[in-house]
Amino acid sequence: MSRPEVVVHRDGDLLAAATAARLVTRLVDAQTARGSASLVLTGGRTGNAVLEHLRMTPARDAVDWSRVDLYWGDERFLPRGHEERNETQARSALLDHVPVDPDRVHPVEPSDGRFGDDPDAAADAYADVLASAARPEDHGPVPSFDVLLLGVGEEGHTASVFPGSPAVYERERTVVAVRNCPKPPPTRVSLTLPAIRQAREVWLMTTGAAKAAAVSMALTGAGEVQLPAAGALGKRRTLWLLDSTAAAKVPELFTPPLA
């Protein structure tokens, strides 16, 4: 696993704009090297802001969106089209505005989908989607995603893996149903930490002073059971993208000049 790197931006809007630009470069590089690229999306304020900046920048057209495979790191188990679903928000922010191949967009089944109100079945089905996309060179049951985007909660959760929850102890399954989440909605479907660690690059994005303690703990050796974000590592790169307030307690060892 890679050693975490830290990039600090002055504020959240600059962070989102710079991350969008960084993402264009990474996707183009992946397509140049292998013909296609894979991206795992996240929800939340910062994740959606990145997609909105990506939609607005002319550089987005450097990416061949028909050759990008799109997944989600977690999903709120709600009906299709619900405004709080990460898929709904991603489509509004970006995917409805670029020429993606619908067959390469892989959302989690909604609560009114094929499996009805059964998040375990939806999780198992998503694990099958990932397994079917994995190649021999990925050496695992999920693809080696080029970039996997994540947010970080005040208590250190990432995707929908919360501190001390059953999901944080999972070592075999790649996708699990998550119930009784401490923040609404209570039922979700999430990649597990072992699945996240299959990504080539993991980018953790967060803003605000309320996140500063969790960020610092994750970078200074906290265990993943206590603070799941600490266990979100990329095989080649782990990048923490922060605004200045979220980075306020980052040790000097990790603190680069303000970007």
Side-chain angles (χ1 to χ4, degrees), residues 225-249:
V225 172
Q226 174 192 13
L227 204 147
L233 302 168
K235 290 194 289 189
R236 297 184 184 174
R237 193 178 199 192
T238 304
L239 191 59
W240 285 77
L241 299 160
L242 311 170
D243 75 349
S244 57
T245 57
K249 298 182 180 180

Side-chain angles (χ1 to χ4, degrees), residues 57-81:
T57 177
R60 78 178 198 191
D61 295 331
V63 177
D64 183 348
W65 291 100
S66 70
R67 294 189 294 127
V68 178
D69 292 292
L70 293 153
Y71 305 88
W72 275 264
D74 71 324
E75 184 56 276
R76 297 157 178 176
F77 196 58
L78 296 165
R80 189 180 309 278

Side-chain angles (χ1 to χ4, degrees), residues 1 9 13 33 40 47 69 97-98 102 108 119 137 139 141 146 158 167 178 182 191 197 201 215 231:
M1 293 293 104
H9 294 283
D13 190 62
V40 181
D69 292 292
H97 308 277
V98 292
V108 177
E137 57 266 35
H139 303 293
D146 290 301
T158 195
V178 181
L191 268 62
R197 289 193 284 261
E201 298 193 11
V215 170

Side-chain angles (χ1 to χ4, degrees), residues 23-32 37-39 63 65 68:
L23 192 54
V24 167
T25 299
R26 185 68 190 89
L27 294 176
V28 169
D29 286 348
Q31 290 181 336
T32 300
S38 54
L39 172 64
V63 177
W65 291 100
V68 178

Side-chain angles (χ1 to χ4, degrees), residues 9 15 55 67 89 110 120 142 164 174 176 190 201 237 242:
H9 294 283
L15 184 158
R55 182 187 76 227
R67 294 189 294 127
Q89 295 172 4
D120 292 294
V142 302
T174 58
V176 293
S190 181
E201 298 193 11
R237 193 178 199 192
L242 311 170

Side-chain angles (χ1 to χ4, degrees), residues 176-189:
V176 293
V178 181
R179 294 178 172 82
N180 302 314
C181 291
K183 57 185 295 186
T187 306
R188 305 176 182 206
V189 173

Side-chain angles (χ1 to χ4, degrees), residues 115-193:
F115 306 106
D117 194 20
D118 184 348
D120 292 294
D124 289 345
Y126 208 61
D128 290 342
V129 168
L130 299 180
S132 67
R135 302 161 298 177
E137 57 266 35
D138 294 325
H139 303 293
V142 302
S144 296
F145 310 111
D146 290 301
V147 178
L148 190 150
L149 302 175
L150 291 170
V152 180
E154 294 179 14
E155 78 298 274
H157 86 267
T158 195
S160 284
V161 182
F162 289 84
S165 67
V168 82
Y169 293 98
E170 182 60 53
R171 293 295 176 266
E172 300 297 327
R173 291 179 293 175
T174 58
V175 187
V176 293
V178 181
R179 294 178 172 82
N180 302 314
C181 291
K183 57 185 295 186
T187 306
R188 305 176 182 206
V189 173
S190 181
L191 268 62
T192 60
L193 291 176

